[in-house]
Amino acid sequence: MINFIVVDDNHEIIKIVENIITKFMMNESIEYKINIFDDYDYKFNKIMNSKMPNKIYILDIETKSASGIDIARQIRKNDIDSVIIFVTAH
């Protein structure tokens, strides 16, 4: 199972990313789940700190509460295996 974690405060970007993931994964025979957040809140932190395997983070560089780059640093403190991809509308 691949676990996509998408964080963006722009709902249009979230839909675009979700559609790209779904379109790509339909060609694969791998189970996947998309976890969507509009900010780096406690629900996001719960997933970030979990032992959930095969995480692919797609992070907004800037939201109301935090920088995606700072969040990536936190992720790397305990998780060196997950993929991190940055997106921005800037």
Side-chain angles (χ1 to χ4, degrees):
M1 161 96 62
I2 297 177
N3 293 289
F4 292 93
I5 298 104
V6 179
V7 184
D8 202 303
D9 56 359
N10 183 325
H11 294 284
E12 290 176 26
I13 299 295
I14 287 176
K15 280 294 178 193
I16 291 168
V17 170
E18 188 176 23
N19 289 337
I20 290 168
I21 292 168
T22 301
K23 185 176 178 180
F24 178 78
M25 292 305 291
M26 285 186 148
N27 296 327
E28 304 297 325
S29 60
I30 302 170
E31 290 185 45
Y32 69 98
K33 181 175 181 184
I34 303 173
N35 302 279
I36 296 176
F37 302 94
D38 61 4
D39 205 354
Y40 300 107
D41 58 13
Y42 71 95
K43 291 178 185 177
F44 170 81
N45 285 327
K46 187 175 178 180
I47 286 184
M48 180 180 73
N49 294 319
S50 74
K51 297 296 180 192
M52 180 187 298
N54 305 318
K55 296 179 198 172
I56 298 177
Y57 291 92
I58 302 173
L59 306 177
D60 190 354
I61 287 186
E62 183 180 355
T63 67
K64 293 171 262 180
S65 67
S67 159
I69 295 170
D70 291 338
I71 296 298
R73 287 186 187 110
Q74 289 179 15
I75 291 167
R76 282 293 177 247
K77 285 181 183 178
N78 298 317
D79 180 357
I80 60 168
D81 296 322
S82 293
V83 173
I84 299 174
I85 300 168
F86 294 105
V87 294
T88 186
H90 292 298

